[in-house]
Amino acid sequence: KAGVTQTPRYLIKTRGQQVTLSCSPISGHRSVSWYQQTPGQGLQFLFEYFSETQRNKGNFPGRFSGRQFSNSRSEMNVSTLELGDSALYLCASSAWTGTNEQFFGPGTRLTVL
Amino acid sequence: AQTVTQSQPEMSVQEAETVTLSCTYDTSENNYYLFWYKQPPSRQMILVIRQEAYKQQNATENRFSVNFQKAAKSFSLKISDSQLGDTAMYFCAFMKLTYDKVIFGPGTSLSVIP
């Protein structure tokens, strides 16, 4: 099976812009989670989608949003970018069959100038 | 709220030696999952080992084993016969049995020295 893929891998934006990141989970996985990773804050949970529904949400402002499509692919959007949004954004998928193992993608490196 | 603590920001070990990474957590849950994830410099995060809290037996995966002390809320990772490819950030993580979210510790940067 192909692993979790994320596009784009690298992105440079300027303050005030908006950005959309994409994640394709492993085939058959219905759960997709998003994390923000920064040197200062570590790995922080953004949100999780299961069968097109947001099940859980972390403590991030409303500028961060996401969605999941019927094929389980997920997108996250960040509007009105701030310098502090510069981070590695990781997506993880899970089959949610009881083992709860999350399979991570390579991440999207977002730089906000 | 659950928290995960890793008190060793950086560690190093000689190739072929054994190293233990520490992790403690705080939760009021009785049943949960604990994980160790590895993130090599290439950034692809991969699962190293998983422990279900209701299982008393410590999990092992080849050279990786854990020491799970439920009462002490401790979950350490032992790497035997360390290899250069073990150089990575290691994250301890917690998740409730009924899915909530995965809580990660701050990580331990492990360097294996030839």
Side-chain angles (χ1 to χ4, degrees), chain A residues 74-102:
Chain A
S74 177
E75 289 181 347
M76 69 162 281
N77 183 277
V78 187
S79 63
T80 319
L81 284 166
E82 300 177 359
L83 296 179
D85 297 334
S86 294
L88 181 69
Y89 290 89
L90 293 170
C91 162
S93 76
S94 171
W96 195 236
T97 57
T99 62
N100 300 317
E101 177 179 351
Q102 296 205 318

Side-chain angles (χ1 to χ4, degrees), chain B residues 4 6-7 21-22 35 58-59 92 108 111:
Chain B
V4 178
Q6 294 177 250
S7 59
L21 309 183
S22 301
F35 308 91
N58 289 325
C92 178
T108 295
S111 297

Side-chain angles (χ1 to χ4, degrees), chain B:
Chain B
Q2 289 78 27
T3 58
V4 178
T5 302
Q6 294 177 250
S7 59
Q8 306 149 317
E10 295 182 1
M11 294 190 73
S12 62
V13 62
Q14 292 287 335
E15 196 175 4
E17 296 295 308
T18 296
V19 64
T20 298
L21 309 183
S22 301
C23 172
T24 58
Y25 58 94
D26 187 28
T27 184
S28 58
E29 301 286 320
N30 188 46
N31 290 316
Y32 44 86
Y33 292 99
L34 294 166
F35 308 91
W36 278 99
Y37 280 92
K38 168 186 176 181
Q39 189 178 40
S42 66
R43 295 289 183 177
Q44 190 91 28
M45 186 95 73
I46 57 173
L47 179 68
V48 174
I49 200 163
R50 173 182 58 244
Q51 175 81 42
E52 289 87 353
Y54 57 87
K55 291 184 178 178
Q56 293 187 344
Q57 187 174 5
N58 289 325
T60 62
E61 286 288 344
N62 302 313
R63 298 182 295 107
F64 299 88
S65 62
V66 298
N67 183 4
F68 173 49
Q69 301 290 328
K70 190 174 183 181
K73 297 180 181 175
S74 170
F75 183 60
S76 61
L77 174 70
K78 185 171 82 170
I79 306 174
S80 304
D81 185 26
S82 296
Q83 301 175 359
L84 296 179
D86 295 334
T87 293
M89 280 289 288
Y90 287 82
F91 294 95
C92 178
F94 169 98
M95 188 169 75
K96 288 195 271 188
L97 214 60
T98 53
Y99 187 87
D100 181 14
K101 59 186 176 185
V102 179
I103 308 295
F104 286 88
T108 295
S109 177
L110 177 67
S111 297
V112 180
I113 302 166

Side-chain angles (χ1 to χ4, degrees), chain A residues 11-19 63-64 77-86 89 110-113:
Chain A
L11 207 48
I12 300 176
K13 292 285 188 179
T14 56
R15 280 184 302 174
Q17 288 187 309
Q18 67 93 27
V19 66
R63 299 185 297 106
F64 292 82
N77 183 277
V78 187
S79 63
T80 319
L81 284 166
E82 300 177 359
L83 296 179
D85 297 334
S86 294
Y89 290 89
L110 172 65
T111 301
V112 182
L113 302 176

Side-chain angles (χ1 to χ4, degrees), chain A residues 1-5 24-31 71-72 93-95 103:
Chain A
K1 280 186 179 178
V4 178
T5 58
S24 292
I26 291 172
S27 178
H29 286 191
R30 295 164 64 189
S31 170
N71 62 357
S72 294
S93 76
S94 171
F103 294 83

Side-chain angles (χ1 to χ4, degrees), chain A residues 25-37:
Chain A
I26 291 172
S27 178
H29 286 191
R30 295 164 64 189
S31 170
V32 174
S33 298
W34 288 90
Y35 298 86
Q36 182 195 65
Q37 186 176 22

